[in-house]
């Protein structure tokens, strides 16, 4: 059986950045594989394209550019907001630099941001994905496929 749209796939992989021998960002073992449904947006779109057609036991090794992964880092994704405004979204939570906090936009959409700096009554947030701007190196194995 080959991977196709709507296949339930179990896979193991190692994700690195900087280069194929770079630091490991994430590792999923064969013993405890990630289970996804292809086409359900469980994986990056280009990741799914790269494993489409593979069979159980096949291995993969590929690179995703920033544009194919989480996009380029966008300086406009850094926003300074009044602390009182942010605290409405994170009520009851003590926040500090480096933390990921939930934010509700004016449109009611929920997002996450990293707290870059807290200075007086202003909090600077980064809405970029933590892997934005990074080239990602994946290697792994298809553990199981079910239709």
């Amino acid at each position: 059986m080959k991977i196709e749209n709507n296949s339930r796939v179990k896979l193991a992989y190692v994700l690195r950045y900087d280069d194929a021998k770079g630091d490991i960002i994430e590792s999923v073992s064969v013993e405890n594989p990630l289970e996804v449904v292809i086409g359900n947006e469980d994986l990056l779109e280009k990741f799914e394209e790269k494993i489409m057609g593979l069979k159980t036991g096949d291995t993969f090794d590929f690179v995703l550019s920033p544009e194919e992964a989480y996009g380029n880092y966008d300086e406009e994704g850094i926003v300074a907001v009044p602390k009182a405004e942010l605290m409405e979204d994170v009520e009851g939570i003590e926040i500090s630099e480096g933390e990921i906090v939930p934010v509700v936009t004016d449109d009611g959409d929920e997002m996450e941001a990293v707290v870059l700096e807290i200075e007086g009554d202003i909090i600077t947030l980064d809405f970029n994905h933590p892997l934005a701007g990074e080239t990602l190196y994946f290697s792994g194995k298809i553990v199981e496929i079910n239709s």
Side-chain angles (χ1 to χ4, degrees):
M1 175 180 293
K2 291 184 178 182
I3 296 175
E4 55 188 39
N5 207 30
N6 296 319
S7 293
R8 182 173 299 281
V9 178
K10 291 183 181 180
L11 54 102
Y13 66 89
V14 173
L15 168 58
R16 299 173 186 269
Y17 71 97
D18 289 333
D19 62 40
K21 302 281 188 219
D23 293 338
I24 295 175
I25 300 170
E26 184 174 41
S27 180
V28 177
S29 70
V30 171
E31 296 77 26
N32 191 20
L34 175 66
E35 185 171 347
V36 296
V37 176
I38 302 299
N40 276 7
E41 299 179 1
D42 294 333
L43 298 171
L44 293 166
E45 181 179 346
K46 289 293 183 181
F47 187 108
E48 288 187 357
E49 287 178 17
K50 300 278 188 183
I51 65 169
M52 198 66 74
L54 295 180
K55 302 180 305 269
T56 298
D58 285 351
T59 60
F60 56 86
D61 192 5
F62 57 84
V63 177
L64 296 183
S65 68
E67 297 80 15
E68 295 171 315
Y70 296 101
N72 290 310
Y73 191 85
D74 183 2
E75 291 295 332
E76 291 183 20
I78 299 179
V79 179
V81 298
K83 190 173 188 177
E85 186 178 310
L86 179 64
M87 296 315 288
E88 292 173 6
D89 293 336
V90 293
E91 191 174 317
I93 300 174
E94 186 67 32
I95 61 170
S96 58
E97 292 178 9
E99 286 191 46
I100 297 173
V101 295
V103 179
V104 179
T105 66
D106 293 339
D107 298 334
D109 295 330
E110 293 184 23
M111 302 176 71
E112 290 185 336
V114 176
V115 177
L116 293 181
E117 182 178 63
I118 301 172
E119 190 169 307
D121 292 336
I122 301 295
I123 297 179
T124 304
L125 301 172
D126 184 352
F127 285 94
N128 286 289
H129 187 282
L131 295 176
E134 298 291 346
T135 300
L136 304 180
Y137 298 81
F138 289 93
S139 59
K141 180 178 183 176
I142 305 302
V143 177
E144 185 179 316
I145 304 169
N146 295 300
S147 53

